[in-house]
Amino acid sequence: MMMRGGRSLVSSPPAFSNDASKLLVCTSNTVSVFSTATGFQITSLEGHTALVTSVLVVPPSSPAAKVLCYCWTASLDGTIRYWDFSVPELMKTVDIRVPIFSMVIPSFLDVTAEDKGKHEDLFAYVFIKDTKETQDKSKSSRRQIRKCNLSKSCLVGRLILGETKKPEVLTVSPSGKFFGICNKCKLHIWKVPDQGSEHAAVRKITLHHTKKITVITFHPTQRIIAAGDVTGRILTWRGFGNRAFAGSNGIENQKLINVQEDKPGVRDNDDADSCSTWHWHSAEVNVLSFSSDGTYLYSGGKEGVLVVWQLDTGKKKFLPRIGSPLLYFIDSPDPTLSSISCADNQIHLLKMPSMGILKTISGIKAPCCYPVKYEGWGNGIAFDQTAGLVALRTENYCIQFYSLFDDHGISEVQVCERNHQPGDDVTVMVTAVALSVDGSLMSTSEVKLAEEGIGGLVCLKFWQARSRNKEFSLSTIVYEPHRDAGISAVTFHPSCNMVVSSSFGGDFKVWRCNSDISQNDQMCQNFSWTCHAVGSYKKKPMTAAVFSADGSVLAVAAETLITLWNPYKNVLLAVLGETLTPIVNLSFIGKSDNLVAASCGSNPQLSIWSMSKLSLSWSYKLRIEAVASALDLSSFAALALLPESSNETPFKGRDGVILLYNATDPVPTAIWSVRKAKGGALGFLQVNPSSVEEISIDGKTPEVLLAYMNGDHEYVVFDPYCKDAHEARLSQKKGPSSLELKGQGRQYGYASIYGELPELDKKRPETPWVPSFPSERPWETIFSGSSHNLPPLTKLCSAFLESLLEKRAAAVE
């Protein structure tokens, strides 16, 4: 049993069902069917073995046929498939054996054809890879537009309508009489021949522009075509093809036309009556679509704003701040419903014509692309093991909570209070996110990048969940928790409200909540965190930190050393041997007395350390991207990157492996090869008793599940101890043996070394708590917030002068 999710919802344009109650979305090698009423997935069409590039719903032949649910799909696996997506059921497969990048079926839309229904053959126009490319590798790669007979399951002869170097998107007119593509600065338009002849000539015209064209669209009733370019301009040609498509001898008559005929805006001798230009977008236009009645033209691009143009007057109105670059705008058969797909992997269902957002189909957002990256930062992914959720950083300064079992977004937490505009320079980076074991608390760290060496700032924030839907509120913010040093790791204590943050500046800090408040306590409002202790070891950078399963031991990596601490008393217990390169990841292996460490650099290493012997048990020279340990088991999983020069057959096309180990056995109990391992993450998930029936395997309930998320945030959840798990690739041994450590009983962590700890004196006086900690340089943060909330000048001056006096006093001491 394997659950997959996190796939892109915006790789290709979606399609509405005939009654507008469903939305068909291309998701990797499947088509997911969503309800437009709820926004949740209903079913999926599975059968393609590569990326699905097109989905086309068969229109009804009569109003009563709107309930029928048939569609055609095309894929890079070289097949075109016909489905009944109400069941769902595969009805037919057409294998043309070459990758298909785009497909249109014009006859679906041509309701004016007199001979419609008289001819059995159904034709599609496909954008495919050159069929001769594999035979003659000396020729440069080409992409071809071909005609395909779906009824006979083959391409039509050797007819090639056009060729390009790169695959383009085929666009068909709403009338079904024309289709076209944009190729560099040219716009190619073909007139669809009558259905009667399979080998009828397909006439073509070309319109020219001075800039690269990015998107085109046809008017629903008139011979008008609109195109957007890379500079943000929108061009509208009226009366295209009036000469070439006029009749059988239109091509010959075209030569007799007077070139000096008045055709405003039309370049050279292009076959169009006029060409007008509009310009509002500051970047390339990605979205262009006419309204169903042809009165309005919708446009969008990188700005994340949908512009509505009145075709006759050029007047415009806006749907602003969608928050991400726009990719596709699709009308539905219901004139009051449309969809808009965005680059942040979300599809918004819009109520027309007011353009209000009705529902949002949310996928996992794309990983952040930061201009600066340190190996100690990690991948910014945290798993909620008890709820089956994952928390990820997003480009709009948020933390997104996503359900791995439901494959659906839960909520977003705005970490940085600032307006995000697509394309803006990155000024703030969320470097770390950590969750408590029960998922009720969260901590994040962020870095404000210095501008020309001025203004850099590090913040540590603590959050508390206010509901089961992961709606977090900020409880404490600490400016410069480690002076001006960056935070390398943040980790929660497994059983109490304690957090440890480590820094590259050479210290770690233990943070305590003002009181240990249970999750169900209704009075858990307005509490904050204070620094409980500070530790360091020989001023070495602290690069990783983790608590043992019972919380009695805190392990902190001091660059190449592992230091063990009593987190309650802040006492150094032991120091483990040195690794060759700095350690970036630490993890206690469940309730065993073993610790796994991963180091990076020129000599990467995966090493296992015994807490009872305080020595190295075994190690491998592996470049580890992520490590995960099960809470109640003595096993762990590691995601290792394969060398780029690896060309071994079992790993062909894959760049990483997941290794499942028992803590005391250096031989992995299972191995799976994976793709896009760089930036990936691993996490063990506990099985929730409330969902036992939902995720049971062959009537048996797994103890834990393993989740792997790749660098593109696509994930798979499976039972690593199931024999069928080898389906994910490579090899699986008979099963990990259940090894019990002799002499340890139920003791682990600190207790296995030094015995039980005495109970803490709960009557000791508590340190007064405050809602936040100011920065040592308050003038850098005092201007944060709205302009009408700025403090008075007297407060600004006093804060600045006091900071100077404090520094001078410290220097005298």
Side-chain angles (χ1 to χ4, degrees):
M1 188 277 296
M2 306 182 74
M3 293 180 286
R4 298 183 180 273
R7 296 164 173 172
S8 173
L9 304 177
V10 295
S11 60
S12 298
F16 282 96
S17 61
N18 293 317
D19 59 359
S21 65
K22 302 178 182 67
L23 184 69
L24 283 69
V25 181
C26 299
T27 50
S28 188
N29 58 347
T30 65
V31 175
S32 300
V33 183
F34 292 88
S35 167
T36 57
T38 64
F40 289 100
Q41 183 174 339
I42 302 173
T43 185
S44 62
L45 309 181
E46 300 180 359
H48 285 290
T49 58
L51 180 70
V52 179
T53 55
S54 299
V55 55
L56 306 174
V57 174
V58 179
S61 57
S62 64
K66 285 187 176 182
V67 296
L68 299 179
C69 300
Y70 299 105
C71 70
W72 289 89
T73 59
S75 168
L76 294 181
D77 63 7
T79 64
I80 301 172
R81 299 177 186 242
Y82 182 58
W83 308 81
D84 180 352
F85 59 88
S86 62
V87 179
E89 181 183 359
L90 177 63
M91 309 290 288
K92 182 178 181 179
T93 300
V94 178
D95 189 0
I96 63 174
R97 301 182 181 180
V98 285
I100 305 169
F101 303 103
S102 181
M103 178 179 72
V104 294
I105 306 178
S107 61
F108 280 170
L109 307 170
D110 190 2
V111 297
T112 62
E114 297 180 357
D115 56 350
K116 185 174 182 180
K118 296 181 181 180
H119 302 281
E120 297 180 358
D121 288 353
L122 178 65
F123 297 98
Y125 293 89
V126 292
F127 216 125
I128 64 173
K129 190 176 182 180
D130 189 352
T131 54
K132 297 181 180 179
E133 185 177 328
T134 55
Q135 301 176 4
D136 189 359
K137 297 183 179 181
S138 61
K139 294 184 178 180
S140 59
S141 177
R142 304 289 294 180
R143 306 293 183 259
Q144 298 178 343
I145 301 175
R146 300 287 297 272
K147 187 176 182 179
C148 179
N149 190 325
L150 299 179
S151 302
K152 297 180 180 178
S153 302
C154 64
L155 295 174
V156 176
R158 298 182 179 180
L159 178 64
I160 300 176
L161 304 181
E163 286 188 334
T164 62
K165 290 185 178 181
K166 296 181 179 180
E168 305 289 350
V169 177
L170 290 169
T171 303
V172 66
S173 67
S175 64
K177 295 181 179 181
F178 307 98
F179 68 91
I181 63 167
C182 49
N183 182 25
K184 298 181 180 178
C185 301
K186 298 179 181 179
L187 196 160
H188 304 291
I189 305 172
W190 288 267
K191 187 179 186 302
V192 179
D194 296 335
Q195 284 285 97
S197 176
E198 177 175 317
H199 299 280
V202 183
R203 286 179 284 176
K204 166 189 169 184
I205 65 169
T206 300
L207 304 177
H208 298 80
H209 183 40
T210 57
K211 303 294 181 180
K212 181 182 177 181
I213 300 175
T214 55
V215 63
I216 63 172
T217 186
F218 290 90
H219 193 277
T221 57
Q222 304 177 38
R223 282 200 181 183
I224 300 176
I225 187 170
D229 69 9
V230 292
T231 66
R233 289 183 291 179
I234 299 173
L235 296 93
T236 306
W237 285 273
R238 295 175 181 267
F240 70 87
N242 281 340
R243 293 173 292 169
F245 301 151
S248 60
N249 58 348
I251 298 178
E252 289 76 8
N253 294 338
Q254 180 178 350
K255 300 178 182 179
L256 305 177
I257 297 295
N258 187 357
V259 180
Q260 297 179 354
E261 181 182 355
D262 184 20
K263 298 186 295 182
V266 178
R267 296 184 59 84
D268 301 330
N269 195 30
D270 286 354
D271 191 355
D273 293 342
S274 65
C275 180
S276 58
T277 302
W278 292 332
H279 197 177
W280 180 88
H281 299 280
S282 60
E284 69 179 57
V285 181
N286 295 327
V287 170
L288 212 55
S289 177
F290 283 101
S291 61
S292 57
D293 60 359
T295 306
Y296 298 98
L297 177 65
Y298 303 100
S299 67
K302 194 174 183 180
E303 308 90 355
V305 177
L306 183 66
V307 185
V308 185
W309 305 83
Q310 193 172 16
L311 192 62
D312 293 335
T313 64
K315 294 181 179 180
K316 53 189 177 294
K317 59 180 181 179
F318 308 94
L319 173 63
R321 298 193 182 281
I322 297 178
S324 182
L326 310 185
L327 298 179
Y328 312 111
F329 182 87
I330 305 297
D331 273 325
S332 77
D334 181 355
T336 64
L337 181 65
S338 297
S339 76
I340 187 164
S341 304
C342 301
D344 62 356
N345 206 24
Q346 293 192 110
I347 301 177
H348 301 289
L349 300 177
L350 305 180
K351 182 179 181 180
M352 306 303 289
S354 62
M355 296 191 299
I357 297 179
L358 297 174
K359 295 287 182 181
T360 298
I361 300 173
S362 179
I364 287 186
K365 295 192 174 181
C368 299
C369 298
Y370 287 152
V372 182
K373 179 74 167 64
Y374 299 105
E375 285 191 89
W377 280 2
N379 47 29
I381 298 175
F383 290 92
D384 185 343
Q385 300 188 26
T386 57
L389 305 179
V390 62
L392 314 100
R393 303 173 301 189
T394 64
E395 292 184 346
N396 58 341
Y397 311 111
C398 291
I399 298 296
Q400 182 190 24
F401 282 86
Y402 199 87
S403 173
L404 297 174
F405 296 146
D406 298 331
D407 194 15
H408 194 273
I410 301 297
S411 65
E412 287 189 11
V413 180
Q414 188 73 44
V415 176
C416 306
E417 293 295 337
R418 60 181 58 224
N419 292 328
H420 170 72
Q421 293 296 327
D424 287 353
D425 293 335
V426 176
T427 58
V428 178
M429 298 185 295
V430 180
T431 58
V433 56
L435 296 173
S436 60
V437 174
D438 61 0
S440 63
L441 300 172
M442 179 175 68
S443 181
T444 59
S445 67
E446 62 193 65
V447 176
K448 179 183 178 183
L449 299 180
E451 298 179 9
E452 298 181 357
I454 302 175
L457 186 67
V458 180
C459 294
L460 178 65
K461 294 181 178 179
F462 298 91
W463 307 78
Q464 179 194 8
R466 297 296 185 184
S467 68
R468 294 184 178 179
N469 291 331
K470 298 303 177 183
E471 296 177 356
F472 281 81
S473 61
L474 181 64
S475 60
T476 305
I477 178 172
V478 184
Y479 295 106
E480 297 177 329
H482 300 274
R483 298 183 181 178
D484 58 350
I487 296 175
S488 58
V490 181
T491 184
F492 275 87
H493 192 280
S495 58
C496 68
N497 291 343
M498 177 186 291
V499 172
V500 167
S501 62
S502 59
S503 78
F504 298 107
D507 68 348
F508 68 89
K509 289 188 177 182
V510 181
W511 306 89
R512 293 295 299 268
C513 182
N514 60 307
S515 61
D516 288 335
I517 304 175
S518 64
Q519 183 179 3
N520 297 326
D521 195 339
Q522 298 299 322
M523 302 300 294
C524 57
Q525 296 182 359
N526 300 324
F527 68 91
S528 66
W529 297 72
T530 57
C531 182
H532 175 72
V534 182
S536 63
Y537 185 78
K538 295 184 179 181
K539 298 183 179 180
K540 290 180 175 291
M542 298 296 187
T543 54
V546 68
F547 284 99
S548 61
D550 63 348
S552 61
V553 174
L554 170 66
V556 183
E559 204 167 24
T560 58
L561 300 172
I562 301 176
T563 60
L564 303 179
W565 302 77
N566 181 338
Y568 305 105
K569 298 183 178 180
N570 198 32
V571 175
L572 179 64
L573 304 177
V575 179
L576 299 185
E578 195 169 7
T579 60
L580 298 176
T581 52
I583 298 171
V584 295
N585 203 323
L586 286 174
S587 179
F588 278 95
I589 305 175
K591 293 187 176 181
S592 70
D593 69 336
N594 293 280
L595 175 69
V596 57
S599 57
C600 65
S602 57
N603 290 300
Q605 186 180 23
L606 174 69
S607 54
I608 307 300
W609 301 83
S610 171
M611 296 295 98
S612 58
K613 299 179 181 179
L614 297 180
S615 62
L616 179 67
S617 297
W618 51 271
S619 66
Y620 282 109
K621 186 177 181 180
L622 294 171
R623 187 173 298 277
I624 301 299
E625 188 71 12
V627 173
S629 299
L631 292 177
D632 299 324
L633 300 175
S634 298
S635 58
F636 73 95
L639 176 61
L641 300 180
L642 294 174
E644 296 181 0
S645 58
S646 177
N647 292 320
E648 300 180 19
T649 303
F651 301 105
K652 188 175 182 180
R654 298 171 181 264
D655 60 352
V657 292
I658 299 174
L659 306 168
L660 183 65
Y661 288 99
N662 189 285
T664 58
D665 188 359
V667 179
T669 59
I671 305 175
W672 302 272
S673 64
V674 295
R675 303 180 189 273
K676 304 173 185 177
K678 185 66 176 177
L682 291 174
F684 280 94
L685 306 177
Q686 292 182 338
V687 177
N688 191 336
S690 63
S691 59
V692 166
E693 294 182 0
E694 182 180 351
I695 59 176
S696 62
I697 304 172
D698 297 331
K700 299 180 181 179
T701 303
E703 295 183 15
V704 293
L705 298 173
L706 180 61
Y708 163 65
M709 180 170 288
N710 64 23
D712 288 346
H713 289 176
E714 299 172 338
Y715 67 85
V716 57
V717 180
F718 61 98
D719 182 2
Y721 305 107
C722 178
K723 293 182 179 180
D724 294 334
H726 70 276
E727 178 184 352
R729 276 296 194 274
L730 269 200
S731 60
Q732 166 86 30
K733 294 174 65 175
K734 291 184 178 181
S737 58
S738 55
L739 300 177
E740 296 182 358
L741 302 179
K742 297 181 179 180
Q744 297 298 329
R746 291 190 177 183
Q747 294 184 341
Y748 45 89
Y750 179 86
S752 67
I753 307 173
Y754 298 99
E756 297 291 341
L757 281 171
E759 294 186 3
L760 294 176
D761 183 10
K762 297 184 179 181
K763 296 182 179 180
R764 64 183 182 86
E766 294 286 344
T767 306
W769 61 274
V770 292
S772 63
F773 292 92
S775 167
E776 294 181 1
R777 298 179 293 181
W779 55 89
E780 291 192 354
T781 59
I782 206 166
F783 292 100
S784 299
S786 304
S787 58
H788 63 273
N789 289 330
L790 288 178
L793 183 62
T794 54
K795 183 178 179 180
L796 295 176
C797 293
S798 61
F800 179 75
L801 292 175
E802 287 176 4
S803 64
L804 295 180
L805 291 175
E806 289 174 359
K807 287 190 174 182
R808 291 178 181 176
V812 172
E813 292 178 4

